[in-house]
Amino acid sequence: MKKGTLPYLAQAGMIAAIYAALTYLAMAFNLAYGSIQFRFSEALTILPVFTPAAVPGLAIGCLIGNLASPYPLDLIFGTAASLIAAILTRAVRKVRVKNIPVLAPLPPVLVNAVIVGLQITLFTPGEAASLMGFLIAAVQVGLGQLAVCYLLGLPLGIALEKSGAAKAIFPSAIEKRGK
């Protein structure tokens, strides 16, 4: 699928909309922002395995989701983290164990832990701008990401593949992989 084509733009737009909506749902439970977060939307970070349109879709969805963040710099840092993580997820999509993309959820965990952890440490009033403050924030963010990406995202990816939904939703991306 070529960038700029209607199916590419439609996929990216739908992914962005779903990501933003799920972020706002997490916000309703006070789980979307801060060092302890459990964004349901991060389960979608598995989608670059199936389509390149997920890369801009996730970044734009994060940007829209972060419009409600009490941390204004989330617009920059959170969006950058999502973009970098999506690019890296796309890069490791072919690394599989028993046909499961086991490394795909790892980039969002690591990238968000570092970037969001650093943002929280440096720019949140009252946070200790120290190595220990960063490590605490990074571990907290990373654990939330780990839970969502591996406990929700990886099963989502497996279900999409096994049910045939991935092929139906992202046909050109799946065909290129030889499935």
Side-chain angles (χ1 to χ4, degrees):
M1 176 184 321
K2 290 184 180 180
K3 292 179 183 177
T5 64
L6 190 57
Y8 181 91
L9 294 172
Q11 284 181 6
M14 288 302 298
I15 291 167
I18 295 166
Y19 183 100
L22 289 172
T23 299
Y24 292 137
L25 177 63
M27 182 182 71
F29 295 100
N30 201 27
L31 297 172
Y33 310 107
S35 60
I36 305 212
Q37 48 181 271
F38 192 85
R39 282 190 183 191
F40 315 123
S41 49
E42 289 293 304
L44 301 179
T45 60
I46 194 76
L47 296 181
V49 167
F50 305 110
T51 178
V55 174
L58 291 169
I60 293 166
C62 182
L63 177 69
I64 294 167
N66 283 343
L67 289 173
S69 175
Y71 309 101
L73 290 172
D74 249 352
L75 291 170
I76 298 166
F77 289 96
T79 303
S82 289
L83 179 61
I84 293 165
I87 291 167
L88 294 174
T89 297
R90 183 85 182 140
V92 300
R93 72 186 181 278
K94 294 180 182 179
V95 178
R96 293 171 173 260
V97 174
K98 295 186 180 181
N99 206 29
I100 297 171
V102 293
L103 287 185
L106 193 56
V109 173
L110 298 176
V111 171
N112 279 286
V114 172
I115 293 177
V116 176
L118 187 61
Q119 173 200 327
I120 289 167
T121 304
L122 296 177
F123 300 111
T124 302
E127 289 293 323
S130 66
L131 178 59
M132 186 54 74
F134 165 72
L135 291 175
I136 291 168
V139 167
Q140 289 174 329
V141 170
L143 287 174
Q145 284 289 124
L146 186 71
V148 173
C149 293
Y150 274 96
L151 298 178
L152 298 178
L154 191 57
L156 171 64
I158 293 167
L160 285 171
E161 282 190 337
K162 289 194 180 203
S163 70
K167 189 172 184 176
I169 299 169
F170 313 113
S172 60
I174 301 300
E175 289 166 10
K176 286 181 185 174
R177 241 189 21 234
K179 291 202 169 212

